[in-house]
Amino acid sequence: MLRTHFVKEITPDLDGKPVTLAGWVHNVRDLGGKKFILLRDKSGIGQVVVEKSSPPFELAKELSQESVIQVQGIVKSDRRAPNGVEVSCTDLKILSKAKSPLPLDVSDKVKADIEVRLKERLLDLRRQEMQAMIRIQSTAVKTFREVLYKNGFYEIFTPKIIATGTEGGAQLFPVIYFGKEAFLAQSPQLYKELLASAVERVFEIAPAWRAEESDTPYHLAEFVSMDVEMAFADYNDVMNVVEEIMVNVLQNVAKHNQEDLAILGHRLPSISRPIKRVTYREALEILQSQGLNVKFGDDIGTPESRILNKVLEQDIYFIIDWPASARPFYTRRKEGDNNISESFDLIYRWLELVSGSSRNNTREVLESELRARGLNPVSFEFFLKWFDYGIPPHAGFGMGLQRFMLMLTGLQSVKEVSLFPRDKKRLVP
Amino acid sequence: MLRTHFVKEITPDLDGKPVTLAGWVHNVRDLGGKKFILLRDKSGIGQVVVEKSSPPFELAKELSQESVIQVQGIVKSDRRAPNGVEVSCTDLKILSKAKSPLPLDVSDKVKADIEVRLKERLLDLRRQEMQAMIRIQSTAVKTFREVLYKNGFYEIFTPKIIATGTEGGAQLFPVIYFGKEAFLAQSPQLYKELLASAVERVFEIAPAWRAEESDTPYHLAEFVSMDVEMAFADYNDVMNVVEEIMVNVLQNVAKHNQEDLAILGHRLPSISRPIKRVTYREALEILQSQGLNVKFGDDIGTPESRILNKVLEQDIYFIIDWPASARPFYTRRKEGDNNISESFDLIYRWLELVSGSSRNNTREVLESELRARGLNPVSFEFFLKWFDYGIPPHAGFGMGLQRFMLMLTGLQSVKEVSLFPRDKKRLVP
């Protein structure tokens, strides 16, 4: 057995007991002829002391940062040590020696820029901030699924290699599929609609791809898409699901990741149900009242959302009822007001986190919506044919995990919260 | 609101109450001048009766199978009806009309072959068997994650577009990545090893791709890979994790999917801990004792496993300690017996479900293992470089969700348990 305890399990009440630890050398200091090793493992960082007179002292001199070691020792309660306890080393083994100097300082004494961090990502991911991020992400996706299970949703896995583009064909990565051209799915949109038309309530957390040419803090070529689709439901029903997810994720992260939030120096946004719902038209009026020259049909982008965030005094809010022409062909128009659609975006401050809508469920309407967008229904027959087989009214939404993580960590770029980000210039590591 | 109740919520104690149902027309029968509609929704199938004298009777005549309808009616306790209850229709609305005849009979009166089923997959997925499969799959992946959370594993998302192949470059799908050639990951192997070297315990459930030329019941071009990697652990430790997953998944499916197993007519295999572990050399001896001409280094394939399954009288068993030469370069050799490796496969009857091992964690050993396989370490520098940064001993395994599902459903082909399978000839739907 490589260890008996994680470092955070070493408490003063183990005083005098022998233990075996294993982990990375976070740092080594010399003090009064002793070596103090900060040993890092999954649980955190603990202190090991190697006395000058002890047999492992010679080997301890060779230790480099990030080397992996196994330590046998005796627990010593000591008020001066971090957590009031340290381990006095009786035996030391180097399991993997790290070269020195390393290109990035895991202990964060020397800050590295984002390019170096992503190049040397393994070292970067060992930094406390990144470990906190990974733990918060694990809580977030776990909670997302729990809310959906509780509401009777089934997990699905849709195909990622597809014959044609979902919403036109722009920004797709081509794949050579047994000699034929195919593409990577930019969204599970059409498949999740079909599956909701078979088992009613479905969700998926999976990669999705967009060949983004531009380099922004909010876009990745490969991202994790969290998708939900629900039959016999409209956009109000799925906004309720979004609310339940948001409230539960924020609660669970606050509860289970307190230390991680402290490491990141991040305060979660406050949330209460119902989340403020402002219509697109109301949003326009607010913006006009603030002196902006915006009219029906214009997009509400980042600069406009910054103003809404301020005026509404809400960090998390829905903008609903967007112009029909601004949304994809599968979006249902609102009864009684044909220019707008049953659609919503959830905004965190000024960042779109979630986008959803009621969907069209008849072939005729879908064909007319395709034509209205200059698309040829014939090219969409692979999708339209299913609407001859009985498709219930349905609604759904998609959210990008990495953007969601910006809200949960306070970090600034989706590249930081993607373990190994992919963008136009980055294909390794 | 489109419904007040799911059909399975209609019980005799609601007798006399008005309800609203919504779902698919599973079947319509004429009996004594009445129409009996079998209405199917997420919960199952219930009976709606439309009296000849009632206003909706004319519309009911137009109903086709798989049309989506909304029914208002009064609950009538009736011993002759399925579940002792039916709903007497007072109002009927067609939400989506299905064409007639359909290319596949969802009610399973006419059996379709697998080619028709996969072509008309939306209809096929509405069949009771496929719905049962989807529900069992949801239980399985949920339980898989629960076991890992309980053991302190974090969920990860590794990149799927990669610059080079993991284990040599065979069977990869090329992607055109911003004008450059890249590939789809055939496994998260190297990335999960790196992440275990950052946060110790990680898992991922995600798509993976192999350009399989052959058409077998056990191979897909796109499959769902369930991957686990654990630092400061060896193959015995991760076999314990596999055991815990197997036991818990089988228990939970038995508990939560009783009806689904009945629909599929499937009996789950029995399991008890510890799962039988037979070494590769012991397996050879068994096979030799049964008259087979096998020697050290030979593969143990399906025909051989059929014999082992019978002789061992075990439906679920490990074969451990495989020849080192038969495993990938990252597999650790066994101390004291250099020809074999710390590796295992978990076999269900004669099908390999899981494959795992202790991993090499030093650059020198990895380089020598690459050379021993005729591979050039220089081409693997993208991976080897990280071993200069302190990599702990670690171990892990991968399992294919679709093969696992064959064990859980009794179905015969991984294509049946993949929602929209991808193989050499299939790219749609």
Side-chain angles (χ1 to χ4, degrees), chain A residues 28-42:
Chain A
V28 195
R29 284 175 304 152
D30 271 298
L31 223 79
K34 300 177 186 179
K35 295 263 177 204
F36 288 89
I37 303 168
L38 289 182
L39 185 69
R40 191 187 69 242
D41 68 17
K42 182 175 183 297

Side-chain angles (χ1 to χ4, degrees), chain A residues 3 42 99 120 126 131 145 152 155 160-161 174 176-177 197-198 200 222 388-390 422-423, chain B residues 3 42 99 120 126 131 145 152 155 160-161 174 176-177 197-198 200 222 388-391 422-423:
Chain A
R3 62 159 73 99
K42 182 175 183 297
K99 76 174 182 187
E120 305 297 345
R126 290 181 184 165
Q131 301 218 358
R145 290 196 191 93
E155 182 159 6
K160 300 309 167 198
I161 302 184
I176 300 157
Y177 191 76
S197 302
E200 295 204 17
E222 177 175 84
D388 296 334
Y389 291 3
R422 291 289 177 262
D423 58 30
Chain B
R3 62 160 74 99
K42 183 175 183 296
K99 75 175 183 187
E120 306 295 347
R126 290 179 184 166
Q131 301 219 357
R145 290 197 192 94
E155 182 159 6
K160 299 308 167 200
I161 302 184
I176 299 158
Y177 190 77
S197 301
E200 294 204 18
E222 177 176 83
D388 296 334
Y389 292 2
I391 300 282
R422 291 288 177 265
D423 58 28

Side-chain angles (χ1 to χ4, degrees), chain A residues 2-3 6 22-24 40-42 66-69 95-99 102-103 119-123 125-126 131 134-135 137-138 141-142 145 149 151-163 173-178 180-182 184 191 194-201 205-207 209-213 221-222 224 231-233 361-362 382 385-393 401 419-420 422-429, chain B residues 2-3 6 22-24 40-42 66-69 95-99 102-103 119-123 125-126 131 134-135 137-138 141-142 145 149 151-163 173-178 180-182 184 191 194-201 205-207 209-213 221-222 224 231-233 361-362 382 385-393 401 419-420 422-429:
Chain A
L2 285 163
R3 62 159 73 99
F6 284 107
W24 291 264
R40 191 187 69 242
D41 68 17
K42 182 175 183 297
E66 295 308 308
S67 286
V68 179
I69 60 173
L95 301 176
S96 173
K97 198 177 163 89
K99 76 174 182 187
L102 289 165
K119 181 159 178 271
E120 305 297 345
R121 187 64 162 164
L122 173 59
L123 294 171
L125 290 171
R126 290 181 184 165
Q131 301 218 358
I134 291 171
R135 288 188 291 258
Q137 180 172 278
S138 211
V141 292
K142 181 169 182 278
R145 290 196 191 93
Y149 291 139
N151 285 288
F153 284 79
Y154 299 115
E155 182 159 6
I156 55 168
F157 299 93
T158 65
K160 300 309 167 198
I161 302 184
I162 55 169
F173 287 114
V175 179
I176 300 157
Y177 191 76
F178 297 112
K180 289 193 292 273
E181 186 181 61
L184 288 176
Y191 288 98
L194 294 185
L195 289 161
S197 302
V199 291
E200 295 204 17
R201 297 186 190 181
I205 300 181
W209 298 267
R210 303 213 177 156
E212 290 283 352
E213 289 285 341
E222 177 175 84
V224 177
F232 300 103
N361 73 321
T362 65
F382 74 98
K385 77 169 247 193
W386 307 106
F387 288 80
D388 296 334
Y389 291 3
I391 301 283
L401 173 61
L419 296 176
F420 293 94
R422 291 289 177 262
D423 58 30
K424 195 172 177 186
K425 62 179 179 188
R426 212 176 317 264
L427 187 54
V428 281
Chain B
L2 285 163
R3 62 160 74 99
F6 284 107
W24 290 264
R40 191 186 70 245
D41 67 18
K42 183 175 183 296
E66 294 309 308
S67 286
V68 179
I69 59 173
L95 301 176
S96 172
K97 198 177 164 89
K99 75 175 183 187
L102 288 165
K119 181 159 178 271
E120 306 295 347
R121 190 63 163 162
L122 173 59
L123 294 171
L125 290 172
R126 290 179 184 166
Q131 301 219 357
I134 291 171
R135 287 188 291 258
Q137 179 172 277
S138 210
V141 293
K142 180 168 182 279
R145 290 197 192 94
Y149 291 139
N151 285 287
F153 285 79
Y154 299 115
E155 182 159 6
I156 54 167
F157 299 94
T158 65
K160 299 308 167 200
I161 302 184
I162 55 169
F173 288 114
V175 180
I176 299 158
Y177 190 77
F178 297 111
K180 288 193 292 273
E181 186 180 61
L184 288 175
Y191 287 99
L194 294 185
L195 288 161
S197 301
V199 292
E200 294 204 18
R201 297 187 189 180
I205 301 181
W209 297 268
R210 302 209 180 158
E212 290 283 353
E213 288 286 340
E222 177 176 83
V224 177
F232 300 103
N361 72 321
T362 65
F382 75 95
K385 75 170 248 189
W386 307 107
F387 288 79
D388 296 334
Y389 292 2
I391 300 282
L401 172 60
L419 297 175
F420 293 94
R422 291 288 177 265
D423 58 28
K424 195 175 174 182
K425 64 179 180 188
R426 214 175 316 265
L427 186 54
V428 282

Side-chain angles (χ1 to χ4, degrees), chain B residues 193-235:
Chain B
E193 289 193 48
L194 294 185
L195 288 161
S197 301
V199 292
E200 294 204 18
R201 297 187 189 180
V202 297
F203 75 90
E204 178 172 34
I205 301 181
W209 297 268
R210 302 209 180 158
E212 290 283 353
E213 288 286 340
S214 56
D215 189 18
T216 88
Y218 304 128
H219 295 88
L220 290 164
E222 177 176 83
F223 63 104
V224 177
S225 186
M226 303 165 91
D227 280 274
V228 172
E229 200 72 22
M230 186 174 181
F232 300 103
D234 67 13
Y235 74 143

Side-chain angles (χ1 to χ4, degrees), chain A residues 74-123:
Chain A
I74 307 292
V75 178
K76 293 242 157 99
S77 172
D78 187 328
R79 266 173 308 162
R80 291 162 303 176
N83 310 318
V85 71
E86 63 188 19
V87 171
S88 176
C89 181
T90 55
D91 196 21
L92 177 66
K93 213 189 221 166
I94 298 179
L95 301 176
S96 173
K97 198 177 163 89
K99 76 174 182 187
S100 182
L102 289 165
L104 190 146
D105 178 17
V106 174
S107 72
D108 259 344
K109 290 220 178 63
V110 188
K111 293 278 176 197
D113 72 26
I114 184 82
E115 292 299 318
V116 173
R117 287 178 48 203
L118 295 178
K119 181 159 178 271
E120 305 297 345
R121 187 64 162 164
L122 173 59
L123 294 171

Side-chain angles (χ1 to χ4, degrees), chain B residues 209-273:
Chain B
W209 297 268
R210 302 209 180 158
E212 290 283 353
E213 288 286 340
S214 56
D215 189 18
T216 88
Y218 304 128
H219 295 88
L220 290 164
E222 177 176 83
F223 63 104
V224 177
S225 186
M226 303 165 91
D227 280 274
V228 172
E229 200 72 22
M230 186 174 181
F232 300 103
D234 67 13
Y235 74 143
N236 285 306
D237 298 312
V238 294
M239 272 193 277
N240 289 340
V241 176
V242 171
E243 281 195 4
E244 198 177 334
I245 289 168
M246 287 292 148
V247 168
N248 279 277
V249 168
L250 286 167
Q251 273 174 359
N252 280 350
V253 170
K255 191 172 154 191
H256 301 298
N257 299 89
Q258 258 184 307
E259 276 185 50
D260 298 319
L261 291 167
I263 288 168
L264 291 161
H266 181 53
R267 233 180 83 187
L268 293 173
S270 64
I271 191 167
S272 57
R273 292 186 76 167

